[in-house]
PDB file of all heavy atoms in Angstrom:
ATOM      1  N   PRO A   1      19.762 -32.520 -94.567  1.00  0.00           N
ATOM      2  CA  PRO A   1      20.575 -33.067 -93.482  1.00  0.00           C
ATOM      3  C   PRO A   1      22.073 -32.926 -93.754  1.00  0.00           C
ATOM      4  O   PRO A   1      22.847 -32.706 -92.823  1.00  0.00           O
ATOM      5  CB  PRO A   1      20.150 -34.534 -93.416  1.00  0.00           C
ATOM      6  CG  PRO A   1      18.742 -34.524 -93.927  1.00  0.00           C
ATOM      7  CD  PRO A   1      18.732 -33.468 -95.007  1.00  0.00           C
ATOM      8  N   ALA A   2      22.473 -33.006 -95.007  1.00  0.00           N
ATOM      9  CA  ALA A   2      23.892 -32.844 -95.349  1.00  0.00           C
ATOM     10  C   ALA A   2      24.371 -31.433 -95.001  1.00  0.00           C
ATOM     11  O   ALA A   2      25.510 -31.246 -94.550  1.00  0.00           O
ATOM     12  CB  ALA A   2      24.121 -33.125 -96.831  1.00  0.00           C
ATOM     13  N   ASN A   3      23.501 -30.436 -95.174  1.00  0.00           N
ATOM     14  CA  ASN A   3      23.869 -29.058 -94.821  1.00  0.00           C
ATOM     15  C   ASN A   3      24.025 -28.917 -93.316  1.00  0.00           C
ATOM     16  O   ASN A   3      24.938 -28.230 -92.841  1.00  0.00           O
ATOM     17  CB  ASN A   3      22.818 -28.074 -95.323  1.00  0.00           C
ATOM     18  CG  ASN A   3      22.755 -28.004 -96.829  1.00  0.00           C
ATOM     19  OD1 ASN A   3      23.443 -28.738 -97.520  1.00  0.00           O
ATOM     20  ND2 ASN A   3      21.903 -27.147 -97.343  1.00  0.00           N
ATOM     21  N   VAL A   4      23.133 -29.557 -92.547  1.00  0.00           N
ATOM     22  CA  VAL A   4      23.225 -29.503 -91.088  1.00  0.00           C
ATOM     23  C   VAL A   4      24.519 -30.180 -90.637  1.00  0.00           C
ATOM     24  O   VAL A   4      25.207 -29.691 -89.740  1.00  0.00           O
ATOM     25  CB  VAL A   4      21.983 -30.145 -90.433  1.00  0.00           C
ATOM     26  CG1 VAL A   4      22.114 -30.169 -88.914  1.00  0.00           C
ATOM     27  CG2 VAL A   4      20.714 -29.402 -90.838  1.00  0.00           C
ATOM     28  N   SER A   5      24.866 -31.297 -91.277  1.00  0.00           N
ATOM     29  CA  SER A   5      26.120 -31.986 -90.941  1.00  0.00           C
ATOM     30  C   SER A   5      27.320 -31.089 -91.219  1.00  0.00           C
ATOM     31  O   SER A   5      28.287 -31.073 -90.433  1.00  0.00           O
ATOM     32  CB  SER A   5      26.259 -33.280 -91.742  1.00  0.00           C
ATOM     33  OG  SER A   5      25.322 -34.228 -91.303  1.00  0.00           O
ATOM     34  N   LYS A   6      27.277 -30.329 -92.304  1.00  0.00           N
ATOM     35  CA  LYS A   6      28.379 -29.413 -92.621  1.00  0.00           C
ATOM     36  C   LYS A   6      28.509 -28.323 -91.563  1.00  0.00           C
ATOM     37  O   LYS A   6      29.619 -27.937 -91.193  1.00  0.00           O
ATOM     38  CB  LYS A   6      28.181 -28.786 -94.002  1.00  0.00           C
ATOM     39  CG  LYS A   6      28.456 -29.739 -95.141  1.00  0.00           C
ATOM     40  CD  LYS A   6      28.225 -29.070 -96.479  1.00  0.00           C
ATOM     41  CE  LYS A   6      28.398 -30.086 -97.606  1.00  0.00           C
ATOM     42  NZ  LYS A   6      28.087 -29.488 -98.912  1.00  0.00           N
ATOM     43  N   ILE A   7      27.371 -27.836 -91.066  1.00  0.00           N
ATOM     44  CA  ILE A   7      27.406 -26.822 -90.010  1.00  0.00           C
ATOM     45  C   ILE A   7      28.048 -27.416 -88.755  1.00  0.00           C
ATOM     46  O   ILE A   7      28.918 -26.802 -88.134  1.00  0.00           O
ATOM     47  CB  ILE A   7      25.986 -26.291 -89.716  1.00  0.00           C
ATOM     48  CG1 ILE A   7      25.452 -25.506 -90.916  1.00  0.00           C
ATOM     49  CG2 ILE A   7      25.976 -25.433 -88.447  1.00  0.00           C
ATOM     50  CD1 ILE A   7      23.968 -25.186 -90.854  1.00  0.00           C
ATOM     51  N   ALA A   8      27.630 -28.631 -88.389  1.00  0.00           N
ATOM     52  CA  ALA A   8      28.194 -29.294 -87.205  1.00  0.00           C
ATOM     53  C   ALA A   8      29.698 -29.513 -87.387  1.00  0.00           C
ATOM     54  O   ALA A   8      30.481 -29.290 -86.454  1.00  0.00           O
ATOM     55  CB  ALA A   8      27.479 -30.619 -86.942  1.00  0.00           C
ATOM     56  N   ASP A   9      30.099 -29.942 -88.575  1.00  0.00           N
ATOM     57  CA  ASP A   9      31.530 -30.139 -88.848  1.00  0.00           C
ATOM     58  C   ASP A   9      32.297 -28.826 -88.718  1.00  0.00           C
ATOM     59  O   ASP A   9      33.403 -28.794 -88.167  1.00  0.00           O
ATOM     60  CB  ASP A   9      31.749 -30.721 -90.251  1.00  0.00           C
ATOM     61  CG  ASP A   9      31.248 -32.145 -90.382  1.00  0.00           C
ATOM     62  OD1 ASP A   9      31.011 -32.814 -89.350  1.00  0.00           O
ATOM     63  OD2 ASP A   9      31.091 -32.601 -91.546  1.00  0.00           O
ATOM     64  N   ASN A  10      31.705 -27.743 -89.219  1.00  0.00           N
ATOM     65  CA  ASN A  10      32.345 -26.432 -89.153  1.00  0.00           C
ATOM     66  C   ASN A  10      32.501 -25.998 -87.696  1.00  0.00           C
ATOM     67  O   ASN A  10      33.568 -25.506 -87.302  1.00  0.00           O
ATOM     68  CB  ASN A  10      31.528 -25.405 -89.942  1.00  0.00           C
ATOM     69  CG  ASN A  10      32.246 -24.087 -90.101  1.00  0.00           C
ATOM     70  OD1 ASN A  10      33.293 -23.854 -89.535  1.00  0.00           O
ATOM     71  ND2 ASN A  10      31.657 -23.204 -90.878  1.00  0.00           N
ATOM     72  N   TRP A  11      31.465 -26.173 -86.885  1.00  0.00           N
ATOM     73  CA  TRP A  11      31.554 -25.802 -85.470  1.00  0.00           C
ATOM     74  C   TRP A  11      32.655 -26.609 -84.775  1.00  0.00           C
ATOM     75  O   TRP A  11      33.403 -26.080 -83.971  1.00  0.00           O
ATOM     76  CB  TRP A  11      30.222 -26.018 -84.763  1.00  0.00           C
ATOM     77  CG  TRP A  11      29.187 -24.970 -85.094  1.00  0.00           C
ATOM     78  CD1 TRP A  11      29.367 -23.811 -85.783  1.00  0.00           C
ATOM     79  CD2 TRP A  11      27.809 -25.010 -84.739  1.00  0.00           C
ATOM     80  NE1 TRP A  11      28.177 -23.125 -85.879  1.00  0.00           N
ATOM     81  CE2 TRP A  11      27.204 -23.838 -85.250  1.00  0.00           C
ATOM     82  CE3 TRP A  11      27.012 -25.912 -84.064  1.00  0.00           C
ATOM     83  CZ2 TRP A  11      25.861 -23.554 -85.075  1.00  0.00           C
ATOM     84  CZ3 TRP A  11      25.666 -25.628 -83.891  1.00  0.00           C
ATOM     85  CH2 TRP A  11      25.098 -24.460 -84.385  1.00  0.00           C
ATOM     86  N   ARG A  12      32.733 -27.907 -85.096  1.00  0.00           N
ATOM     87  CA  ARG A  12      33.769 -28.744 -84.471  1.00  0.00           C
ATOM     88  C   ARG A  12      35.159 -28.264 -84.906  1.00  0.00           C
ATOM     89  O   ARG A  12      36.064 -28.125 -84.078  1.00  0.00           O
ATOM     90  CB  ARG A  12      33.586 -30.213 -84.838  1.00  0.00           C
ATOM     91  CG  ARG A  12      34.728 -31.081 -84.303  1.00  0.00           C
ATOM     92  CD  ARG A  12      34.396 -32.533 -84.288  1.00  0.00           C
ATOM     93  NE  ARG A  12      33.297 -32.850 -83.415  1.00  0.00           N
ATOM     94  CZ  ARG A  12      33.344 -32.831 -82.075  1.00  0.00           C
ATOM     95  NH1 ARG A  12      34.454 -32.487 -81.465  1.00  0.00           N
ATOM     96  NH2 ARG A  12      32.306 -33.147 -81.360  1.00  0.00           N
ATOM     97  N   THR A  13      35.339 -27.992 -86.192  1.00  0.00           N
ATOM     98  CA  THR A  13      36.625 -27.511 -86.696  1.00  0.00           C
ATOM     99  C   THR A  13      37.011 -26.197 -86.021  1.00  0.00           C
ATOM    100  O   THR A  13      38.156 -26.030 -85.579  1.00  0.00           O
ATOM    101  CB  THR A  13      36.569 -27.324 -88.227  1.00  0.00           C
ATOM    102  OG1 THR A  13      36.285 -28.586 -88.827  1.00  0.00           O
ATOM    103  CG2 THR A  13      37.863 -26.769 -88.781  1.00  0.00           C
ATOM    104  N   GLN A  14      36.053 -25.275 -85.933  1.00  0.00           N
ATOM    105  CA  GLN A  14      36.338 -23.984 -85.305  1.00  0.00           C
ATOM    106  C   GLN A  14      36.641 -24.160 -83.820  1.00  0.00           C
ATOM    107  O   GLN A  14      37.527 -23.493 -83.275  1.00  0.00           O
ATOM    108  CB  GLN A  14      35.174 -23.008 -85.508  1.00  0.00           C
ATOM    109  CG  GLN A  14      34.921 -22.649 -86.957  1.00  0.00           C
ATOM    110  CD  GLN A  14      36.146 -22.124 -87.666  1.00  0.00           C
ATOM    111  OE1 GLN A  14      36.890 -21.317 -87.144  1.00  0.00           O
ATOM    112  NE2 GLN A  14      36.380 -22.606 -88.883  1.00  0.00           N
ATOM    113  N   GLY A  15      35.923 -25.061 -83.159  1.00  0.00           N
ATOM    114  CA  GLY A  15      36.194 -25.342 -81.753  1.00  0.00           C
ATOM    115  C   GLY A  15      37.597 -25.878 -81.552  1.00  0.00           C
ATOM    116  O   GLY A  15      38.317 -25.470 -80.633  1.00  0.00           O
ATOM    117  N   ASN A  16      38.005 -26.785 -82.423  1.00  0.00           N
ATOM    118  CA  ASN A  16      39.358 -27.345 -82.329  1.00  0.00           C
ATOM    119  C   ASN A  16      40.420 -26.271 -82.605  1.00  0.00           C
ATOM    120  O   ASN A  16      41.469 -26.239 -81.957  1.00  0.00           O
ATOM    121  CB  ASN A  16      39.530 -28.520 -83.288  1.00  0.00           C
ATOM    122  CG  ASN A  16      38.704 -29.718 -82.869  1.00  0.00           C
ATOM    123  OD1 ASN A  16      38.332 -29.867 -81.706  1.00  0.00           O
ATOM    124  ND2 ASN A  16      38.398 -30.576 -83.819  1.00  0.00           N
ATOM    125  N   THR A  17      40.137 -25.387 -83.553  1.00  0.00           N
ATOM    126  CA  THR A  17      41.080 -24.310 -83.882  1.00  0.00           C
ATOM    127  C   THR A  17      41.225 -23.354 -82.703  1.00  0.00           C
ATOM    128  O   THR A  17      42.346 -22.993 -82.306  1.00  0.00           O
ATOM    129  CB  THR A  17      40.602 -23.541 -85.133  1.00  0.00           C
ATOM    130  OG1 THR A  17      40.535 -24.454 -86.233  1.00  0.00           O
ATOM    131  CG2 THR A  17      41.527 -22.393 -85.474  1.00  0.00           C
ATOM    132  N   VAL A  18      40.101 -22.956 -82.133  1.00  0.00           N
ATOM    133  CA  VAL A  18      40.141 -22.038 -80.987  1.00  0.00           C
ATOM    134  C   VAL A  18      40.829 -22.709 -79.798  1.00  0.00           C
ATOM    135  O   VAL A  18      41.644 -22.096 -79.108  1.00  0.00           O
ATOM    136  CB  VAL A  18      38.721 -21.568 -80.611  1.00  0.00           C
ATOM    137  CG1 VAL A  18      38.699 -20.838 -79.275  1.00  0.00           C
ATOM    138  CG2 VAL A  18      38.151 -20.677 -81.699  1.00  0.00           C
ATOM    139  N   GLY A  19      40.530 -23.984 -79.574  1.00  0.00           N
ATOM    140  CA  GLY A  19      41.128 -24.708 -78.458  1.00  0.00           C
ATOM    141  C   GLY A  19      42.629 -24.900 -78.597  1.00  0.00           C
ATOM    142  O   GLY A  19      43.325 -25.113 -77.606  1.00  0.00           O
ATOM    143  N   ALA A  20      43.128 -24.834 -79.819  1.00  0.00           N
ATOM    144  CA  ALA A  20      44.560 -25.043 -80.052  1.00  0.00           C
ATOM    145  C   ALA A  20      45.381 -23.754 -79.946  1.00  0.00           C
ATOM    146  O   ALA A  20      46.608 -23.800 -80.054  1.00  0.00           O
ATOM    147  CB  ALA A  20      44.773 -25.667 -81.431  1.00  0.00           C
ATOM    148  N   LEU A  21      44.717 -22.617 -79.731  1.00  0.00           N
ATOM    149  CA  LEU A  21      45.472 -21.364 -79.603  1.00  0.00           C
ATOM    150  C   LEU A  21      46.403 -21.450 -78.408  1.00  0.00           C
ATOM    151  O   LEU A  21      46.030 -21.941 -77.344  1.00  0.00           O
ATOM    152  CB  LEU A  21      44.516 -20.176 -79.460  1.00  0.00           C
ATOM    153  CG  LEU A  21      43.656 -19.866 -80.687  1.00  0.00           C
ATOM    154  CD1 LEU A  21      42.652 -18.768 -80.363  1.00  0.00           C
ATOM    155  CD2 LEU A  21      44.518 -19.470 -81.874  1.00  0.00           C
ATOM    156  N   ASP A  22      47.619 -20.974 -78.599  1.00  0.00           N
ATOM    157  CA  ASP A  22      48.648 -21.078 -77.554  1.00  0.00           C
ATOM    158  C   ASP A  22      49.110 -19.682 -77.159  1.00  0.00           C
ATOM    159  O   ASP A  22      49.545 -18.894 -78.004  1.00  0.00           O
ATOM    160  CB  ASP A  22      49.832 -21.892 -78.089  1.00  0.00           C
ATOM    161  CG  ASP A  22      50.932 -22.085 -77.067  1.00  0.00           C
ATOM    162  OD1 ASP A  22      50.676 -21.890 -75.860  1.00  0.00           O
ATOM    163  OD2 ASP A  22      52.048 -22.443 -77.485  1.00  0.00           O
ATOM    164  N   PHE A  23      48.992 -19.390 -75.885  1.00  0.00           N
ATOM    165  CA  PHE A  23      49.389 -18.074 -75.374  1.00  0.00           C
ATOM    166  C   PHE A  23      50.648 -18.147 -74.517  1.00  0.00           C
ATOM    167  O   PHE A  23      51.016 -17.176 -73.870  1.00  0.00           O
ATOM    168  CB  PHE A  23      48.234 -17.475 -74.552  1.00  0.00           C
ATOM    169  CG  PHE A  23      46.985 -17.286 -75.360  1.00  0.00           C
ATOM    170  CD1 PHE A  23      45.984 -18.245 -75.353  1.00  0.00           C
ATOM    171  CD2 PHE A  23      46.808 -16.164 -76.141  1.00  0.00           C
ATOM    172  CE1 PHE A  23      44.829 -18.077 -76.099  1.00  0.00           C
ATOM    173  CE2 PHE A  23      45.668 -15.986 -76.893  1.00  0.00           C
ATOM    174  CZ  PHE A  23      44.666 -16.950 -76.874  1.00  0.00           C
ATOM    175  N   SER A  24      51.323 -19.291 -74.518  1.00  0.00           N
ATOM    176  CA  SER A  24      52.477 -19.470 -73.634  1.00  0.00           C
ATOM    177  C   SER A  24      53.626 -18.521 -73.966  1.00  0.00           C
ATOM    178  O   SER A  24      54.391 -18.144 -73.076  1.00  0.00           O
ATOM    179  CB  SER A  24      52.966 -20.916 -73.673  1.00  0.00           C
ATOM    180  OG  SER A  24      53.395 -21.267 -74.976  1.00  0.00           O
ATOM    181  N   ALA A  25      53.746 -18.104 -75.200  1.00  0.00           N
ATOM    182  CA  ALA A  25      54.837 -17.194 -75.567  1.00  0.00           C
ATOM    183  C   ALA A  25      54.687 -15.841 -74.886  1.00  0.00           C
ATOM    184  O   ALA A  25      55.685 -15.135 -74.685  1.00  0.00           O
ATOM    185  CB  ALA A  25      54.886 -17.014 -77.076  1.00  0.00           C
ATOM    186  N   ASN A  26      53.468 -15.493 -74.500  1.00  0.00           N
ATOM    187  CA  ASN A  26      53.268 -14.196 -73.842  1.00  0.00           C
ATOM    188  C   ASN A  26      54.016 -14.113 -72.515  1.00  0.00           C
ATOM    189  O   ASN A  26      54.415 -13.023 -72.103  1.00  0.00           O
ATOM    190  CB  ASN A  26      51.784 -13.943 -73.606  1.00  0.00           C
ATOM    191  CG  ASN A  26      51.045 -13.659 -74.876  1.00  0.00           C
ATOM    192  OD1 ASN A  26      51.483 -14.036 -75.953  1.00  0.00           O
ATOM    193  ND2 ASN A  26      49.911 -13.008 -74.784  1.00  0.00           N
ATOM    194  N   THR A  27      54.193 -15.233 -71.838  1.00  0.00           N
ATOM    195  CA  THR A  27      54.868 -15.202 -70.532  1.00  0.00           C
ATOM    196  C   THR A  27      56.340 -14.831 -70.667  1.00  0.00           C
ATOM    197  O   THR A  27      56.956 -14.415 -69.696  1.00  0.00           O
ATOM    198  CB  THR A  27      54.739 -16.565 -69.822  1.00  0.00           C
ATOM    199  OG1 THR A  27      55.337 -17.578 -70.630  1.00  0.00           O
ATOM    200  CG2 THR A  27      53.285 -16.917 -69.562  1.00  0.00           C
ATOM    201  N   ALA A  28      56.899 -14.958 -71.845  1.00  0.00           N
ATOM    202  CA  ALA A  28      58.314 -14.653 -72.067  1.00  0.00           C
ATOM    203  C   ALA A  28      58.540 -13.248 -72.609  1.00  0.00           C
ATOM    204  O   ALA A  28      59.663 -12.892 -72.951  1.00  0.00           O
ATOM    205  CB  ALA A  28      58.912 -15.678 -73.027  1.00  0.00           C
TER     206      ALA A  28
END
């Protein structure tokens, strides 16, 4: 179960990282 929790934590971390990508500089 600890390994499954690590996978879930990794998915959440990666989701947060992807969600934080900022493309606003491209408009300039």
Side-chain angles (χ1 to χ4, degrees):
N3 294 4
V4 176
S5 290
K6 286 179 185 176
I7 293 168
D9 292 344
N10 189 353
W11 285 351
R12 175 163 297 288
T13 299
Q14 296 306 316
N16 292 337
T17 299
V18 169
L21 293 174
D22 182 17
F23 300 96
S24 62
N26 289 23
T27 60

